[in-house]
Amino acid sequence: MSLTPIRQTLIGLLSDGQFHSGEQLGEQLGISRAAVSKHMAALKELGLDLFSLTGKGYRLAFPLALYDRELLQSLAPLAPIHCFPVIDSTNQYLLERVARLQPGECCLAECQTAGRGRRGKPWVSPFGCQLLLSMYWRLEQGMAAAMGLSLAVGVAVVEALESLGYPGVELKWPNDLYYEGRKLAGILVEMSGSAGASCHLVIGVGLNLAMPSREGEKIDQAWAELRHIQPELVDRNQLAARMMVHLQRAMQTFEQHGLARFVDAWNRLDHFAGRPVRLLMGEQEIRGIARGIDDRGALRLETEEGIKFYLGGELSLRRGD
């Protein structure tokens, strides 16, 4: 689904959260009311929480603060920032350009049409309802130095949210953020490089802000959104800028010290700490008590045979029955 100039203008006009009649919108855009209606239908397909009321017109369920690249760049000045209304994937945009990116360079989008989660799962991303952020970094030490990176990123994301007044967010090993037992955000780290060379990293964060119920029905697990923590959402530009700054600082720390500086914080935020869990490894299932992570980022699992350690990959951690 493309976002034409007319549809971009329509979103801008509707972003105040007030009613706008089809006649008024048509006059402002130089199109008929029937054309306005067709464009509105297209915007709904992008996931906008948009509704109409006879005699009043169209409105969004909530005001929408669209990304302002100049404002974001002033708030997070370390590296260039790219903003898109609609994109296939913010991670993919950076992955295709790693040879010419600066460490800390970021890509933001209002909507993704081909977003992906862990193990290639599709990522549901209705327009303007999530923080969709990807950041590039380069580790000169090579790919081996990236071990445990997604755990450090998780800590940085939670601390950014805490600094904006969103308490109670926890971490689920190895890639998710939880609130009250439901998934609030996911992290996807993708890397490229060769032996003896620097490692190119693209760090993706998808964070639910305020999801329309019809879009939420497409998600195949229990989910949460920032609106569940604080009904009045912080300005999205402030949120995005704070997140970028925290991620950039975390990467600077990770580059110097690896995961060690993040382990205590991660264990403090561990959603499953001290709880019975199931670890799925293909067809195999291992049960035990979650005991946090070690300095490598390996999951510590207390089993009947004692403490065992498991690194990431194709492992999936679930609540114990």
Side-chain angles (χ1 to χ4, degrees):
M1 172 66 67
S2 63
L3 194 61
T4 63
I6 284 180
R7 291 171 191 167
Q8 288 190 54
T9 303
L10 268 175
I11 292 172
L13 293 170
L14 293 165
S15 64
D16 60 6
Q18 303 299 312
F19 276 108
H20 297 263
S21 72
E23 183 178 1
Q24 290 174 330
L25 292 171
E27 288 176 357
Q28 289 173 286
L29 295 168
I31 59 177
S32 67
R33 289 179 63 181
V36 169
S37 178
K38 289 182 180 179
H39 285 300
M40 290 298 181
L43 293 180
K44 284 185 178 181
E45 289 185 33
L46 286 174
L48 275 168
D49 202 358
L50 178 67
F51 63 94
S52 59
L53 188 64
T54 303
K56 287 201 167 186
Y58 303 91
R59 62 164 287 185
L60 292 174
F62 298 94
L64 178 61
L66 299 169
Y67 290 129
D68 181 331
R69 198 199 67 81
E70 290 186 5
L71 173 60
L72 288 166
Q73 195 70 73
S74 70
L75 295 171
L78 178 67
I81 298 168
H82 310 272
C83 293
F84 297 94
V86 179
I87 198 171
D88 53 354
S89 162
T90 55
N91 263 31
Q92 192 62 36
Y93 177 85
L94 296 181
L95 284 168
E96 292 172 354
R97 294 162 175 79
V98 293
R100 55 183 185 274
L101 297 177
Q102 299 178 31
E105 199 156 338
C106 291
C107 178
L108 285 158
E110 305 283 2
C111 175
Q112 289 184 138
T113 57
R116 55 188 181 273
R118 192 168 176 240
R119 299 196 299 275
K121 290 184 178 180
W123 186 267
V124 177
S125 55
F127 192 99
C129 299
Q130 296 175 325
L131 174 69
L132 301 170
L133 166 65
S134 295
M135 187 182 77
Y136 169 76
W137 203 268
R138 185 170 57 250
L139 286 179
E140 301 298 342
Q141 305 97 313
M143 296 182 75
M147 182 177 289
L149 174 61
S150 67
L151 304 171
V153 171
V155 171
V157 173
V158 173
E159 290 180 346
L161 292 174
E162 288 176 341
S163 75
L164 289 167
Y166 291 101
V169 180
E170 298 177 319
L171 294 170
K172 173 181 175 284
W173 184 88
N175 295 90
D176 294 337
L177 280 74
Y178 269 40
Y179 178 71
E180 295 186 343
R182 294 167 292 161
K183 185 171 178 176
L184 176 69
I187 295 163
L188 178 64
V189 177
E190 300 183 273
M191 63 182 74
S192 63
S194 55
S198 59
C199 174
H200 298 288
L201 297 165
V202 173
I203 300 158
V205 177
L207 170 68
N208 297 331
L209 306 181
M211 298 278 284
S213 57
R214 69 176 184 276
E215 295 296 320
E217 291 171 359
K218 301 175 184 177
I219 302 174
D220 63 358
Q221 61 182 295
W223 56 273
E225 57 186 26
L226 280 192
R227 192 171 49 177
H228 293 152
I229 307 175
Q230 297 286 356
E232 192 70 29
L233 288 174
V234 68
D235 178 86
R236 292 168 73 239
N237 285 288
Q238 296 294 328
L239 171 63
R242 187 71 58 90
M243 197 67 68
M244 287 187 283
V245 169
H246 273 253
L247 287 172
Q248 290 162 348
R249 289 174 181 169
M251 285 308 303
Q252 290 167 342
T253 300
F254 187 88
E255 194 170 28
Q256 294 296 315
H257 306 283
L259 184 63
R261 291 287 180 92
F262 299 89
V263 171
D264 288 345
W266 198 97
N267 285 327
R268 171 180 66 86
L269 297 165
D270 183 5
H271 173 70
F272 281 128
R275 298 184 186 182
V277 296
R278 296 177 295 133
L279 185 63
L280 307 182
M281 305 172 63
E283 298 298 317
Q284 185 181 7
E285 178 178 292
I286 301 168
R287 291 175 177 265
I289 305 298
R291 299 299 185 193
I293 60 170
D294 68 6
D295 287 349
R296 301 170 300 161
L299 174 70
R300 294 165 51 93
L301 199 61
E302 182 182 338
T303 70
E304 292 179 352
E305 292 80 33
I307 296 290
K308 294 196 173 185
F309 299 85
Y310 299 91
L311 287 167
E314 294 304 308
L315 304 181
S316 182
L317 188 64
R318 307 285 176 86
R319 185 182 63 184
D321 295 329

